[in-house]
Amino acid sequence: AKGVEAVLQRLKIIEQEIRDLKQEIQGLRYYEHRLLLELHHKVKYLATYNVQVEERKVPNLFYFVQTENYSRRLITTMLSGMTALRLHMLCEFRGQMHVVEDQMGCEIMQVDNRAVQCLAPYMKKFMKLVTLALKIGAHLAAGMGEMIPDLSKEMAHLAGSSAFVGAAAVGVGAAALGRRNRSAEGSRDIQQDLRAAQQWVVDFLRERRCSTGKDIAEKFGLWRVRYRDNGQIAWICRRHIYARSAEIVEVPV
């Protein structure tokens, strides 16, 4: 009888632990939901932010890769003197941003100091958003995960600074935790970074004689469109143009 009583007491303890665990899981799911909403909000801000009257003459969301042993490696840190990089652009269709398959891109023979100064802050913040999304399983940039050889190592490298949650992550974690002041500062920082990065991209493409819509379509497989419902401009792939033709209208440069 004592043995049975001990077993029943143990079962009660296990039942309570299970209830506590379920409650903790619900709390984590709520936090994950808030984090994902803020993550997508920040990426949408990056995709639609426009610092020029030209109204998005070039795509906003870009990344760099380096080919190693017939495989592509995503560049998450920009350093002066790096060679043989390629500039690529993401399809910006809202909620379905992704890598464009068989995209030619533009080759960068060598990274100079100006490129580092203009691009490093933007890349650091954008890559943290992308890597965080890949880490938690968000479908933020489909096709990009395979270009990061060791995701856990890269995540640790990117999140190494104490400012990962807050301004360095453009306020993603801070907003989820309600730290409004830090998030506002992060927004101001990313605006400055976007201005510098966009201007570099515009100048670089102009030097490569890739400044028209036809040139960008040829090298990046992206076309400039306007959403019918809100009038915002985006650069999207041909697949999305066909699949979402009722939602967009092409506006060639």
Side-chain angles (χ1 to χ4, degrees), residues 4 10 15 21 23 32 45 59 72 79 89 93 96 120 139-140 147 150 157 179 183 190 193-194 198-199 233 238-239:
V4 172
R10 181 59 183 163
E15 287 177 357
L21 186 59
Q23 192 170 8
E32 180 188 31
Y45 176 80
R72 297 193 303 167
L79 300 173
M89 306 282 190
F93 192 85
Q96 299 181 29
H139 298 291
L140 179 65
M147 290 185 283
D150 188 342
H157 167 68
R179 300 175 185 171
S183 181
I190 197 63
D193 298 340
L194 279 170
Q198 284 184 1
Q199 190 58 53
I233 297 290
R238 181 57 73 185
R239 177 172 62 84

Side-chain angles (χ1 to χ4, degrees), residues 15 46 66 80 114 127-128 138 152 168 182 195 230 240-241 248-249:
E15 287 177 357
L46 287 174
Q66 192 171 46
S80 181
R114 179 175 177 269
M127 285 302 131
K128 279 181 180 177
S152 59
R182 188 177 299 178
R195 288 190 186 97
N230 58 19
H240 273 122
I241 287 180
I248 53 96
V249 56

Side-chain angles (χ1 to χ4, degrees), residues 128-193:
K128 279 181 180 177
L129 287 176
V130 171
T131 311
L132 175 63
L134 293 170
K135 188 71 173 178
I136 63 179
H139 298 291
L140 179 65
M144 193 169 275
E146 63 188 23
M147 290 185 283
I148 304 179
D150 188 342
L151 184 57
S152 59
K153 179 181 177 182
E154 201 62 44
M155 184 67 183
H157 167 68
L158 288 172
S161 68
S162 59
F164 174 66
V165 177
V170 204
V172 174
L177 297 172
R179 300 175 185 171
R180 297 179 181 177
N181 292 335
R182 188 177 299 178
S183 181
E185 291 173 5
S187 296
R188 286 195 295 271
D189 290 341
I190 197 63
Q191 287 180 11
Q192 296 175 357
D193 298 340

Side-chain angles (χ1 to χ4, degrees), residues 43 77 89-90 115 126 169 196 212 235 245:
V43 173
T77 305
M89 306 282 190
L90 294 171
F126 178 55
T212 68
W235 288 83
S245 59

Side-chain angles (χ1 to χ4, degrees), residues 53-248:
V53 184
E54 302 175 61
E55 203 175 34
R56 303 289 316 281
K57 288 294 181 69
V58 299
N60 269 5
L61 301 179
F62 58 89
Y63 62 97
F64 298 90
V65 299
Q66 192 171 46
T67 302
E68 293 181 348
N69 300 325
Y70 303 100
S71 64
R72 297 193 303 167
R73 184 173 68 89
L74 183 67
I75 299 300
T76 56
T77 305
M78 183 68 73
L79 300 173
S80 181
M82 295 179 77
T83 58
L85 304 185
R86 294 198 78 84
L87 169 68
H88 288 275
M89 306 282 190
L90 294 171
C91 171
E92 300 173 353
F93 192 85
R94 53 190 176 189
Q96 299 181 29
M97 184 178 74
H98 66 90
V99 171
V100 179
E101 294 183 7
D102 302 322
Q103 188 181 86
M104 185 186 304
C106 279
E107 186 174 6
I108 301 176
M109 298 304 294
Q110 186 169 16
V111 176
D112 57 20
N113 291 331
R114 179 175 177 269
V116 172
Q117 184 178 1
C118 294
L119 298 174
Y122 163 85
M123 285 187 60
K124 184 178 181 181
K125 292 172 183 177
F126 178 55
M127 285 302 131
K128 279 181 180 177
L129 287 176
V130 171
T131 311
L132 175 63
L134 293 170
K135 188 71 173 178
I136 63 179
H139 298 291
L140 179 65
M144 193 169 275
E146 63 188 23
M147 290 185 283
I148 304 179
D150 188 342
L151 184 57
S152 59
K153 179 181 177 182
E154 201 62 44
M155 184 67 183
H157 167 68
L158 288 172
S161 68
S162 59
F164 174 66
V165 177
V170 204
V172 174
L177 297 172
R179 300 175 185 171
R180 297 179 181 177
N181 292 335
R182 188 177 299 178
S183 181
E185 291 173 5
S187 296
R188 286 195 295 271
D189 290 341
I190 197 63
Q191 287 180 11
Q192 296 175 357
D193 298 340
L194 279 170
R195 288 190 186 97
Q198 284 184 1
Q199 190 58 53
W200 184 92
V201 171
V202 169
D203 295 341
F204 174 77
L205 293 179
R206 189 177 294 124
E207 290 174 3
R208 297 298 186 279
R209 303 189 179 210
C210 181
S211 55
T212 68
K214 181 180 179 182
D215 296 331
I216 293 175
E218 180 181 339
K219 288 188 176 293
F220 300 102
L222 297 173
W223 283 261
R224 187 170 177 264
V225 301
R226 186 187 300 276
Y227 294 114
R228 296 179 186 270
D229 56 358
N230 58 19
Q232 289 183 339
I233 297 290
W235 288 83
I236 67 175
C237 66
R238 181 57 73 185
R239 177 172 62 84
H240 273 122
I241 287 180
Y242 289 141
R244 302 303 183 98
S245 59
E247 302 176 35
I248 53 96

